[in-house]
Amino acid sequence: MTQTVYLVLADKLADWEYGHVAAQVSLQQFQQQPGRYEIRTVGLTTDPIRTVGGVRMLPDVALEDVSLDDAAMLVLPGGDSWETGELAAFGKLARRFREAGKPIAAICGATVGLAAEGLLDDVPHTSNFPQWLGSYGGAALYRDERVVRADGVITAGGASALEFAREVLAELETFSPATLEAWYEFNRDDTPAAFGKLVASVHE
């Protein structure tokens, strides 16, 4: 059965933060189980949104129509709307996922939404920097790292989109461990040797 990875779309979405995730979840190349996952986008409504880069995007479903039955993960990219509190409903959606035992992944501004909802109070996590998250109950668990994956919660700063994707793919077991390592090395280093390692890893 194909499982759904829900990708949040909201006005002023940070275009660069979700690309690797969406592409590698959807592309069949290098996957352990091609067709296991599909991306569905979710908005507050199904009205179009405009990213920070000016790109118009249309959500597949409205927040109220998200089904947890076939959901594999909720991915929350950052953007300029999180700090205002206008996206608090997505924080509540993330809580629904956590209460159902489903993983969540937030990068940059979206970590503010998780902190405000209390979802970072009991798990190690990171963000752009500690003060970014404001006053919340999990400050002692903040880690000064590019990305943190702990107990089904993935967090990253906005400059770490590649590392964020690596941990999302690890959580979903999209690639074998060897392929995931080679994929990250290739995208980080962009060398013929790294690409050769990636291709070879699929046949090991």
Side-chain angles (χ1 to χ4, degrees), residues 115-116 121 130-139:
D121 287 356
Q131 296 81 2
W132 185 264
L133 298 175
S135 178
Y136 70 112

Side-chain angles (χ1 to χ4, degrees), residues 2 14 16 36 113 137 139 157 162 179 194 196:
T2 300
W16 62 93
R36 181 180 178 185
L162 182 60
T179 297

Side-chain angles (χ1 to χ4, degrees), residues 70 95 125 199:
D70 64 347
R95 178 170 291 283
H125 58 273
V199 173

